[in-house]
């Protein structure tokens, strides 16, 4: 017999401990940021306790505001799912997820979406009625040869044959605007998003409050954020970071939003990031961007390529389950979506 409880601050310690027992470290500050500080100010997470009071399972989603057609609605990103080893094989993941989905549907959420890994994707698809919208649109730009040589010939040969590549971006002058650091998101960023997203059907709303929460309020992160202005008018911004992951030093382009159908603004902002990546001896730059997305042209100008399946750092999938609202079928077609690494919960 199991009991189900909604997450509150008193459950954070056991939440952390269950993940730690599975080799995953979560901090109280990050959990508070996700579940109690998100822009919709809602918590949708269930904890499952055994008869002896031990935490047996967790299923958590993160509420977000989304653009669906011309409407702004509530949706949620599927985040944490874990069951203690002693309680596996009893259907807790599916039962708990369904309870969370029922709560979300009752509260007017339009859909649940996310990026399940290879171990869980089949459960989402077959038992939680997800439509899988694969593949995740990984794109990349290699900056050092050794990282890729190591993948195929080993670290020793990779270190010997390690040298800079893809330096074509350094001397191009894409745009004459002024690029400067961002330390606060004001209403100009909401206005920029409103214009940029006019033709987007499905996306997390990247207004000023979301950007402030996602990038500046997130604990234990150090995102680099730069804007490009022309005659004092905001034309675009880029968010990026550098992390030691996947056996190397990886540069992540988290978001690239701009107004310029010729993509010179976006290319100039990318050039700024790539210059810092080179100085920091980054091995490879990763991003998520569909080839039909509004900002794909900037990535193309800077020589980004679709990432081959064999080089993908992790098996991830992309999908969603419609709950109601006016979402209708819009989230079920990948060509309606705009996503970036901002939508990832691991970077």
């Amino acid at each position: 017999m199991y009991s189900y409880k909604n997450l509150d601050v008193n459950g954070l310690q056991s939440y952390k401990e269950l993940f730690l027992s599975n080799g995953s470290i979560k901090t109280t500050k990050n959990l508070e940021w996700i579940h109690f500080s998100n822009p919709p100010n809602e918590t949708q997470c269930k904890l499952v306790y055994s008869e002896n009071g031990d935490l047996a399972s967790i299923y958590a989603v993160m509420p977000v505001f989304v653009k669906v057609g011309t409407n702004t609605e509530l949706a949620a990103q599927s985040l944490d799912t874990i069951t203690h080893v002693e309680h596996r094989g009893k259907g807790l993941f599916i039962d708990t997820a369904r309870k969370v989905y029922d709560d979300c549907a009752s509260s007017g959420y339009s859909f649940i979406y996310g990026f399940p890994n290879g171990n869980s994707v089949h459960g989402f698809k077959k038992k939680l009625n997800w439509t899988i919208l694969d593949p995740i649109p990984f794109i990349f730009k290699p900056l050092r040869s050794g990282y890729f040589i190591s993948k195929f010939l080993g670290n020793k040969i990779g270190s010997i044959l390690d040298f800079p590549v893809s330096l074509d971006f350094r001397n191009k002058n894409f745009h004459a605007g002024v690029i400067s650091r961002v330390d606060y998101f004001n209403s100009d960023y909401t206005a920029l998003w409103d214009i940029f997203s006019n033709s987007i059907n499905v996306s997390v709303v990247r207004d000023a409050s979301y950007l402030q929460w996602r990038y500046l309020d997130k604990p234990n992160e150090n995102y680099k954020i730069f804007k490009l202005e022309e005659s004092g008018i905001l034309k675009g911004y880029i968010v990026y970071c550098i992390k030691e992951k996947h056996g190397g030093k990886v540069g992540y382009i988290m978001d690239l939003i701009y107004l310029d159908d010729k993509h010179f603004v976006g290319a100039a902002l990318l050039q700024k990031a790539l210059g810092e990546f080179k100085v920091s001896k980054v091995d490879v730059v990763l991003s998520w961007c569909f080839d039909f997305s509004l900002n794909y042209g900037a990535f193309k100008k800077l020589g980004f390529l679709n990432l081959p399946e064999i080089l993908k750092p992790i098996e991830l999938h992309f999908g969603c389950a419609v709950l109601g609202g006016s979402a209708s079928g819009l989230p079920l077609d990948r060509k309606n979506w705009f996503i970036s690494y901002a939508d990832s919960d691991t970077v």
Side-chain angles (χ1 to χ4, degrees), residues 301-343:
K301 280 183 181 293
L302 269 297
F304 279 75
L305 304 167
N306 292 331
L307 187 65
E309 198 69 32
I310 192 172
L311 294 178
K312 290 187 177 179
I314 188 173
E315 182 185 350
L316 288 178
H317 301 268
F318 168 41
C320 69
V322 171
L323 302 179
S326 64
S328 183
L330 288 179
L332 303 181
D333 184 345
R334 70 188 266 114
K335 290 188 177 180
N336 286 323
W337 282 79
F338 176 85
I339 64 173
S340 72
Y341 256 121
D343 300 296

mmCIF file of all heavy atoms in Angstrom, residues 301-343:
data_model
loop_
_atom_site.group_PDB
_atom_site.id
_atom_site.type_symbol
_atom_site.label_atom_id
_atom_site.label_comp_id
_atom_site.label_asym_id
_atom_site.label_seq_id
_atom_site.Cartn_x
_atom_site.Cartn_y
_atom_site.Cartn_z
ATOM 1 N N LYS A 301 25.252 30.298 -41.031
ATOM 2 C CA LYS A 301 26.312 31.232 -41.414
ATOM 3 C C LYS A 301 27.626 30.939 -40.701
ATOM 4 O O LYS A 301 28.716 31.168 -41.247
ATOM 5 C CB LYS A 301 25.880 32.673 -41.108
ATOM 6 C CG LYS A 301 24.946 33.305 -42.120
ATOM 7 C CD LYS A 301 24.648 34.747 -41.743
ATOM 8 C CE LYS A 301 23.684 35.404 -42.719
ATOM 9 N NZ LYS A 301 24.286 35.571 -44.065
ATOM 10 N N LEU A 302 27.536 30.443 -39.479
ATOM 11 C CA LEU A 302 28.736 30.182 -38.687
ATOM 12 C C LEU A 302 29.221 28.738 -38.818
ATOM 13 O O LEU A 302 30.093 28.305 -38.070
ATOM 14 C CB LEU A 302 28.480 30.515 -37.221
ATOM 15 C CG LEU A 302 28.808 31.955 -36.782
ATOM 16 C CD1 LEU A 302 30.295 32.250 -36.929
ATOM 17 C CD2 LEU A 302 27.992 32.970 -37.549
ATOM 18 N N GLY A 303 28.643 27.990 -39.738
ATOM 19 C CA GLY A 303 29.164 26.661 -40.031
ATOM 20 C C GLY A 303 28.718 25.549 -39.114
ATOM 21 O O GLY A 303 29.360 24.496 -39.052
ATOM 22 N N PHE A 304 27.617 25.733 -38.401
ATOM 23 C CA PHE A 304 27.089 24.645 -37.584
ATOM 24 C C PHE A 304 26.508 23.561 -38.488
ATOM 25 O O PHE A 304 25.979 23.842 -39.570
ATOM 26 C CB PHE A 304 26.004 25.160 -36.637
ATOM 27 C CG PHE A 304 26.546 25.803 -35.392
ATOM 28 C CD1 PHE A 304 27.103 27.078 -35.437
ATOM 29 C CD2 PHE A 304 26.506 25.140 -34.177
ATOM 30 C CE1 PHE A 304 27.611 27.682 -34.294
ATOM 31 C CE2 PHE A 304 26.995 25.732 -33.022
ATOM 32 C CZ PHE A 304 27.551 27.005 -33.080
ATOM 33 N N LEU A 305 26.606 22.321 -38.019
ATOM 34 C CA LEU A 305 26.164 21.157 -38.785
ATOM 35 C C LEU A 305 25.204 20.320 -37.948
ATOM 36 O O LEU A 305 25.214 20.391 -36.709
ATOM 37 C CB LEU A 305 27.370 20.290 -39.171
ATOM 38 C CG LEU A 305 28.493 20.979 -39.952
ATOM 39 C CD1 LEU A 305 29.729 20.074 -39.972
ATOM 40 C CD2 LEU A 305 28.040 21.328 -41.358
ATOM 41 N N ASN A 306 24.377 19.528 -38.607
ATOM 42 C CA ASN A 306 23.555 18.563 -37.885
ATOM 43 C C ASN A 306 24.466 17.509 -37.266
ATOM 44 O O ASN A 306 25.398 17.016 -37.923
ATOM 45 C CB ASN A 306 22.551 17.902 -38.824
ATOM 46 C CG ASN A 306 21.498 18.864 -39.301
ATOM 47 O OD1 ASN A 306 21.141 19.816 -38.612
ATOM 48 N ND2 ASN A 306 20.981 18.652 -40.497
ATOM 49 N N LEU A 307 24.209 17.167 -36.020
ATOM 50 C CA LEU A 307 25.067 16.225 -35.304
ATOM 51 C C LEU A 307 24.709 14.792 -35.690
ATOM 52 O O LEU A 307 23.574 14.365 -35.488
ATOM 53 C CB LEU A 307 24.914 16.413 -33.796
ATOM 54 C CG LEU A 307 25.864 15.615 -32.906
ATOM 55 C CD1 LEU A 307 27.298 16.072 -33.126
ATOM 56 C CD2 LEU A 307 25.478 15.770 -31.442
ATOM 57 N N PRO A 308 25.663 14.029 -36.239
ATOM 58 C CA PRO A 308 25.382 12.633 -36.585
ATOM 59 C C PRO A 308 24.989 11.820 -35.359
ATOM 60 O O PRO A 308 25.443 12.089 -34.239
ATOM 61 C CB PRO A 308 26.722 12.143 -37.166
ATOM 62 C CG PRO A 308 27.447 13.373 -37.575
ATOM 63 C CD PRO A 308 27.028 14.441 -36.593
ATOM 64 N N GLU A 309 24.149 10.824 -35.575
ATOM 65 C CA GLU A 309 23.652 9.999 -34.479
ATOM 66 C C GLU A 309 24.789 9.396 -33.661
ATOM 67 O O GLU A 309 24.728 9.331 -32.430
ATOM 68 C CB GLU A 309 22.766 8.882 -35.032
ATOM 69 C CG GLU A 309 21.867 8.230 -34.013
ATOM 70 C CD GLU A 309 20.752 9.152 -33.518
ATOM 71 O OE1 GLU A 309 20.276 9.997 -34.293
ATOM 72 O OE2 GLU A 309 20.361 9.007 -32.337
ATOM 73 N N ILE A 310 25.867 8.984 -34.316
ATOM 74 C CA ILE A 310 26.968 8.312 -33.640
ATOM 75 C C ILE A 310 27.707 9.244 -32.671
ATOM 76 O O ILE A 310 28.361 8.808 -31.731
ATOM 77 C CB ILE A 310 27.960 7.730 -34.677
ATOM 78 C CG1 ILE A 310 28.936 6.777 -33.991
ATOM 79 C CG2 ILE A 310 28.704 8.843 -35.406
ATOM 80 C CD1 ILE A 310 29.826 6.018 -34.952
ATOM 81 N N LEU A 311 27.580 10.562 -32.896
ATOM 82 C CA LEU A 311 28.284 11.530 -32.041
ATOM 83 C C LEU A 311 27.394 12.140 -30.965
ATOM 84 O O LEU A 311 27.880 12.930 -30.154
ATOM 85 C CB LEU A 311 28.876 12.649 -32.905
ATOM 86 C CG LEU A 311 29.998 12.257 -33.869
ATOM 87 C CD1 LEU A 311 30.433 13.455 -34.690
ATOM 88 C CD2 LEU A 311 31.186 11.660 -33.123
ATOM 89 N N LYS A 312 26.121 11.807 -30.944
ATOM 90 C CA LYS A 312 25.236 12.405 -29.949
ATOM 91 C C LYS A 312 25.666 11.974 -28.550
ATOM 92 O O LYS A 312 25.896 10.788 -28.293
ATOM 93 C CB LYS A 312 23.781 12.032 -30.232
ATOM 94 C CG LYS A 312 23.254 12.718 -31.485
ATOM 95 C CD LYS A 312 21.773 12.496 -31.702
ATOM 96 C CE LYS A 312 21.316 13.286 -32.927
ATOM 97 N NZ LYS A 312 19.881 13.095 -33.219
ATOM 98 N N PRO A 313 25.792 12.931 -27.628
ATOM 99 C CA PRO A 313 26.372 12.637 -26.318
ATOM 100 C C PRO A 313 25.496 11.777 -25.418
ATOM 101 O O PRO A 313 25.983 11.177 -24.467
ATOM 102 C CB PRO A 313 26.580 14.028 -25.714
ATOM 103 C CG PRO A 313 25.574 14.894 -26.398
ATOM 104 C CD PRO A 313 25.462 14.356 -27.796
ATOM 105 N N ILE A 314 24.187 11.736 -25.700
ATOM 106 C CA ILE A 314 23.265 11.010 -24.852
ATOM 107 C C ILE A 314 22.009 10.684 -25.655
ATOM 108 O O ILE A 314 21.661 11.410 -26.589
ATOM 109 C CB ILE A 314 22.908 11.848 -23.598
ATOM 110 C CG1 ILE A 314 22.087 11.034 -22.601
ATOM 111 C CG2 ILE A 314 22.187 13.134 -23.989
ATOM 112 C CD1 ILE A 314 21.857 11.756 -21.270
ATOM 113 N N GLU A 315 21.364 9.572 -25.319
ATOM 114 C CA GLU A 315 20.123 9.223 -26.008
ATOM 115 C C GLU A 315 18.956 9.982 -25.365
ATOM 116 O O GLU A 315 18.558 9.704 -24.238
ATOM 117 C CB GLU A 315 19.850 7.725 -25.945
ATOM 118 C CG GLU A 315 18.571 7.340 -26.697
ATOM 119 C CD GLU A 315 18.197 5.876 -26.573
ATOM 120 O OE1 GLU A 315 19.019 5.101 -26.053
ATOM 121 O OE2 GLU A 315 17.064 5.525 -26.975
ATOM 122 N N LEU A 316 18.442 10.943 -26.096
ATOM 123 C CA LEU A 316 17.294 11.713 -25.648
ATOM 124 C C LEU A 316 16.223 11.688 -26.728
ATOM 125 O O LEU A 316 16.529 11.600 -27.921
ATOM 126 C CB LEU A 316 17.682 13.165 -25.359
ATOM 127 C CG LEU A 316 18.516 13.450 -24.122
ATOM 128 C CD1 LEU A 316 18.822 14.933 -24.036
ATOM 129 C CD2 LEU A 316 17.815 12.979 -22.860
ATOM 130 N N HIS A 317 14.981 11.800 -26.288
ATOM 131 C CA HIS A 317 13.847 11.857 -27.197
ATOM 132 C C HIS A 317 13.021 13.092 -26.875
ATOM 133 O O HIS A 317 13.186 13.718 -25.832
ATOM 134 C CB HIS A 317 13.015 10.579 -27.074
ATOM 135 C CG HIS A 317 13.795 9.333 -27.387
ATOM 136 N ND1 HIS A 317 13.837 8.787 -28.645
ATOM 137 C CD2 HIS A 317 14.580 8.556 -26.602
ATOM 138 C CE1 HIS A 317 14.610 7.711 -28.630
ATOM 139 N NE2 HIS A 317 15.080 7.557 -27.406
ATOM 140 N N PHE A 318 12.118 13.418 -27.761
ATOM 141 C CA PHE A 318 11.317 14.639 -27.637
ATOM 142 C C PHE A 318 9.869 14.266 -27.903
ATOM 143 O O PHE A 318 9.564 13.588 -28.879
ATOM 144 C CB PHE A 318 11.821 15.666 -28.654
ATOM 145 C CG PHE A 318 10.933 16.872 -28.864
ATOM 146 C CD1 PHE A 318 10.309 17.497 -27.797
ATOM 147 C CD2 PHE A 318 10.740 17.382 -30.139
ATOM 148 C CE1 PHE A 318 9.504 18.608 -27.998
ATOM 149 C CE2 PHE A 318 9.943 18.490 -30.360
ATOM 150 C CZ PHE A 318 9.322 19.105 -29.287
ATOM 151 N N GLY A 319 8.973 14.668 -26.985
ATOM 152 C CA GLY A 319 7.572 14.337 -27.192
ATOM 153 C C GLY A 319 6.658 15.103 -26.258
ATOM 154 O O GLY A 319 7.107 15.915 -25.443
ATOM 155 N N CYS A 320 5.353 14.836 -26.396
ATOM 156 C CA CYS A 320 4.380 15.525 -25.545
ATOM 157 C C CYS A 320 3.079 14.745 -25.492
ATOM 158 O O CYS A 320 2.822 13.852 -26.307
ATOM 159 C CB CYS A 320 4.120 16.937 -26.063
ATOM 160 S SG CYS A 320 3.226 16.991 -27.618
ATOM 161 N N ALA A 321 2.271 15.088 -24.509
ATOM 162 C CA ALA A 321 0.927 14.526 -24.350
ATOM 163 C C ALA A 321 -0.037 15.678 -24.132
ATOM 164 O O ALA A 321 0.125 16.463 -23.194
ATOM 165 C CB ALA A 321 0.875 13.569 -23.163
ATOM 166 N N VAL A 322 -1.020 15.792 -25.009
ATOM 167 C CA VAL A 322 -2.008 16.870 -24.907
ATOM 168 C C VAL A 322 -3.027 16.527 -23.828
ATOM 169 O O VAL A 322 -3.547 15.408 -23.757
ATOM 170 C CB VAL A 322 -2.703 17.090 -26.267
ATOM 171 C CG1 VAL A 322 -3.884 18.045 -26.109
ATOM 172 C CG2 VAL A 322 -1.711 17.648 -27.280
ATOM 173 N N LEU A 323 -3.319 17.514 -22.966
ATOM 174 C CA LEU A 323 -4.265 17.312 -21.869
ATOM 175 C C LEU A 323 -5.592 17.997 -22.121
ATOM 176 O O LEU A 323 -6.630 17.530 -21.638
ATOM 177 C CB LEU A 323 -3.669 17.841 -20.560
ATOM 178 C CG LEU A 323 -2.345 17.236 -20.111
ATOM 179 C CD1 LEU A 323 -1.892 17.903 -18.816
ATOM 180 C CD2 LEU A 323 -2.458 15.734 -19.934
ATOM 181 N N GLY A 324 -5.576 19.123 -22.822
ATOM 182 C CA GLY A 324 -6.812 19.862 -23.029
ATOM 183 C C GLY A 324 -6.522 21.282 -23.437
ATOM 184 O O GLY A 324 -5.524 21.563 -24.085
ATOM 185 N N GLY A 325 -7.374 22.189 -23.042
ATOM 186 C CA GLY A 325 -7.206 23.596 -23.396
ATOM 187 C C GLY A 325 -7.379 23.794 -24.894
ATOM 188 O O GLY A 325 -8.009 22.990 -25.590
ATOM 189 N N SER A 326 -6.805 24.853 -25.412
ATOM 190 C CA SER A 326 -6.937 25.141 -26.837
ATOM 191 C C SER A 326 -5.755 24.601 -27.633
ATOM 192 O O SER A 326 -5.560 24.947 -28.788
ATOM 193 C CB SER A 326 -7.047 26.654 -27.055
ATOM 194 O OG SER A 326 -5.854 27.298 -26.641
ATOM 195 N N ALA A 327 -4.940 23.745 -26.969
ATOM 196 C CA ALA A 327 -3.752 23.232 -27.640
ATOM 197 C C ALA A 327 -4.098 22.451 -28.896
ATOM 198 O O ALA A 327 -3.393 22.490 -29.882
ATOM 199 C CB ALA A 327 -2.952 22.354 -26.677
ATOM 200 N N SER A 328 -5.210 21.720 -28.838
ATOM 201 C CA SER A 328 -5.642 20.934 -29.988
ATOM 202 C C SER A 328 -4.482 20.084 -30.484
ATOM 203 O O SER A 328 -3.806 19.445 -29.705
ATOM 204 C CB SER A 328 -6.181 21.855 -31.081
ATOM 205 O OG SER A 328 -6.673 21.105 -32.176
ATOM 206 N N GLY A 329 -4.237 20.089 -31.792
ATOM 207 C CA GLY A 329 -3.161 19.269 -32.321
ATOM 208 C C GLY A 329 -1.865 20.005 -32.535
ATOM 209 O O GLY A 329 -0.886 19.418 -33.017
ATOM 210 N N LEU A 330 -1.781 21.280 -32.187
ATOM 211 C CA LEU A 330 -0.582 22.057 -32.484
ATOM 212 C C LEU A 330 0.693 21.452 -31.890
ATOM 213 O O LEU A 330 1.708 21.347 -32.584
ATOM 214 C CB LEU A 330 -0.744 23.506 -32.015
ATOM 215 C CG LEU A 330 -1.704 24.388 -32.817
ATOM 216 C CD1 LEU A 330 -1.764 25.780 -32.206
ATOM 217 C CD2 LEU A 330 -1.257 24.479 -34.270
ATOM 218 N N PRO A 331 0.701 21.029 -30.620
ATOM 219 C CA PRO A 331 1.952 20.477 -30.077
ATOM 220 C C PRO A 331 2.324 19.116 -30.660
ATOM 221 O O PRO A 331 3.426 18.639 -30.406
ATOM 222 C CB PRO A 331 1.651 20.358 -28.575
ATOM 223 C CG PRO A 331 0.506 21.267 -28.323
ATOM 224 C CD PRO A 331 -0.303 21.190 -29.574
ATOM 225 N N LEU A 332 1.438 18.481 -31.399
ATOM 226 C CA LEU A 332 1.699 17.140 -31.905
ATOM 227 C C LEU A 332 2.430 17.135 -33.240
ATOM 228 O O LEU A 332 2.695 16.074 -33.799
ATOM 229 C CB LEU A 332 0.382 16.361 -32.026
ATOM 230 C CG LEU A 332 -0.423 16.238 -30.732
ATOM 231 C CD1 LEU A 332 -1.693 15.438 -30.964
ATOM 232 C CD2 LEU A 332 0.416 15.594 -29.640
ATOM 233 N N ASP A 333 2.753 18.304 -33.753
ATOM 234 C CA ASP A 333 3.499 18.432 -35.002
ATOM 235 C C ASP A 333 4.806 19.153 -34.698
ATOM 236 O O ASP A 333 4.799 20.310 -34.285
ATOM 237 C CB ASP A 333 2.680 19.211 -36.033
ATOM 238 C CG ASP A 333 3.364 19.308 -37.389
ATOM 239 O OD1 ASP A 333 4.587 19.030 -37.480
ATOM 240 O OD2 ASP A 333 2.690 19.690 -38.359
ATOM 241 N N ARG A 334 5.936 18.503 -34.895
ATOM 242 C CA ARG A 334 7.229 19.089 -34.532
ATOM 243 C C ARG A 334 7.512 20.384 -35.277
ATOM 244 O O ARG A 334 8.246 21.242 -34.783
ATOM 245 C CB ARG A 334 8.359 18.080 -34.731
ATOM 246 C CG ARG A 334 8.685 17.749 -36.154
ATOM 247 C CD ARG A 334 9.692 16.601 -36.263
ATOM 248 N NE ARG A 334 11.076 17.046 -36.364
ATOM 249 C CZ ARG A 334 12.012 16.836 -35.446
ATOM 250 N NH1 ARG A 334 11.715 16.211 -34.321
ATOM 251 N NH2 ARG A 334 13.245 17.246 -35.620
ATOM 252 N N LYS A 335 6.921 20.558 -36.454
ATOM 253 C CA LYS A 335 7.173 21.770 -37.228
ATOM 254 C C LYS A 335 6.515 23.001 -36.611
ATOM 255 O O LYS A 335 6.774 24.121 -37.050
ATOM 256 C CB LYS A 335 6.713 21.579 -38.669
ATOM 257 C CG LYS A 335 7.592 20.616 -39.439
ATOM 258 C CD LYS A 335 7.236 20.582 -40.911
ATOM 259 C CE LYS A 335 8.187 19.664 -41.678
ATOM 260 N NZ LYS A 335 7.868 19.618 -43.124
ATOM 261 N N ASN A 336 5.683 22.791 -35.601
ATOM 262 C CA ASN A 336 5.086 23.925 -34.886
ATOM 263 C C ASN A 336 5.945 24.415 -33.732
ATOM 264 O O ASN A 336 5.669 25.466 -33.159
ATOM 265 C CB ASN A 336 3.704 23.535 -34.350
ATOM 266 C CG ASN A 336 2.656 23.471 -35.437
ATOM 267 O OD1 ASN A 336 2.666 24.272 -36.364
ATOM 268 N ND2 ASN A 336 1.748 22.506 -35.333
ATOM 269 N N TRP A 337 6.994 23.666 -33.396
ATOM 270 C CA TRP A 337 7.743 23.936 -32.171
ATOM 271 C C TRP A 337 8.957 24.818 -32.406
ATOM 272 O O TRP A 337 9.594 24.761 -33.455
ATOM 273 C CB TRP A 337 8.228 22.634 -31.549
ATOM 274 C CG TRP A 337 7.178 21.874 -30.797
ATOM 275 C CD1 TRP A 337 6.207 21.085 -31.326
ATOM 276 C CD2 TRP A 337 7.014 21.832 -29.385
ATOM 277 N NE1 TRP A 337 5.447 20.537 -30.333
ATOM 278 C CE2 TRP A 337 5.917 20.979 -29.121
ATOM 279 C CE3 TRP A 337 7.689 22.414 -28.311
ATOM 280 C CZ2 TRP A 337 5.482 20.718 -27.826
ATOM 281 C CZ3 TRP A 337 7.260 22.152 -27.033
ATOM 282 C CH2 TRP A 337 6.157 21.304 -26.791
ATOM 283 N N PHE A 338 9.287 25.600 -31.390
ATOM 284 C CA PHE A 338 10.578 26.275 -31.275
ATOM 285 C C PHE A 338 11.193 25.817 -29.965
ATOM 286 O O PHE A 338 10.606 26.014 -28.890
ATOM 287 C CB PHE A 338 10.421 27.794 -31.275
ATOM 288 C CG PHE A 338 11.720 28.531 -31.067
ATOM 289 C CD1 PHE A 338 12.557 28.794 -32.147
ATOM 290 C CD2 PHE A 338 12.122 28.929 -29.796
ATOM 291 C CE1 PHE A 338 13.772 29.461 -31.955
ATOM 292 C CE2 PHE A 338 13.331 29.595 -29.599
ATOM 293 C CZ PHE A 338 14.154 29.853 -30.692
ATOM 294 N N ILE A 339 12.347 25.167 -30.038
ATOM 295 C CA ILE A 339 13.034 24.747 -28.823
ATOM 296 C C ILE A 339 14.513 25.114 -28.919
ATOM 297 O O ILE A 339 15.053 25.319 -30.007
ATOM 298 C CB ILE A 339 12.893 23.234 -28.527
ATOM 299 C CG1 ILE A 339 13.576 22.403 -29.628
ATOM 300 C CG2 ILE A 339 11.443 22.844 -28.378
ATOM 301 C CD1 ILE A 339 13.622 20.915 -29.288
ATOM 302 N N SER A 340 15.142 25.200 -27.772
ATOM 303 C CA SER A 340 16.578 25.439 -27.686
ATOM 304 C C SER A 340 17.065 24.762 -26.411
ATOM 305 O O SER A 340 16.288 24.131 -25.686
ATOM 306 C CB SER A 340 16.873 26.941 -27.634
ATOM 307 O OG SER A 340 16.496 27.480 -26.371
ATOM 308 N N TYR A 341 18.359 24.904 -26.124
ATOM 309 C CA TYR A 341 18.876 24.321 -24.889
ATOM 310 C C TYR A 341 18.268 24.973 -23.649
ATOM 311 O O TYR A 341 18.388 24.432 -22.541
ATOM 312 C CB TYR A 341 20.394 24.442 -24.840
ATOM 313 C CG TYR A 341 21.105 23.133 -25.148
ATOM 314 C CD1 TYR A 341 22.000 23.043 -26.213
ATOM 315 C CD2 TYR A 341 20.891 21.991 -24.388
ATOM 316 C CE1 TYR A 341 22.651 21.858 -26.512
ATOM 317 C CE2 TYR A 341 21.527 20.807 -24.667
ATOM 318 C CZ TYR A 341 22.409 20.740 -25.735
ATOM 319 O OH TYR A 341 23.056 19.560 -26.009
ATOM 320 N N ALA A 342 17.600 26.101 -23.807
ATOM 321 C CA ALA A 342 16.870 26.678 -22.671
ATOM 322 C C ALA A 342 15.828 25.707 -22.139
ATOM 323 O O ALA A 342 15.471 25.738 -20.961
ATOM 324 C CB ALA A 342 16.185 27.979 -23.085
ATOM 325 N N ASP A 343 15.341 24.831 -23.011
ATOM 326 C CA ASP A 343 14.311 23.870 -22.625
ATOM 327 C C ASP A 343 14.884 22.619 -21.973
ATOM 328 O O ASP A 343 14.125 21.757 -21.517
ATOM 329 C CB ASP A 343 13.486 23.489 -23.844
ATOM 330 C CG ASP A 343 12.798 24.684 -24.477
ATOM 331 O OD1 ASP A 343 11.942 25.277 -23.803
ATOM 332 O OD2 ASP A 343 13.128 25.044 -25.620
#
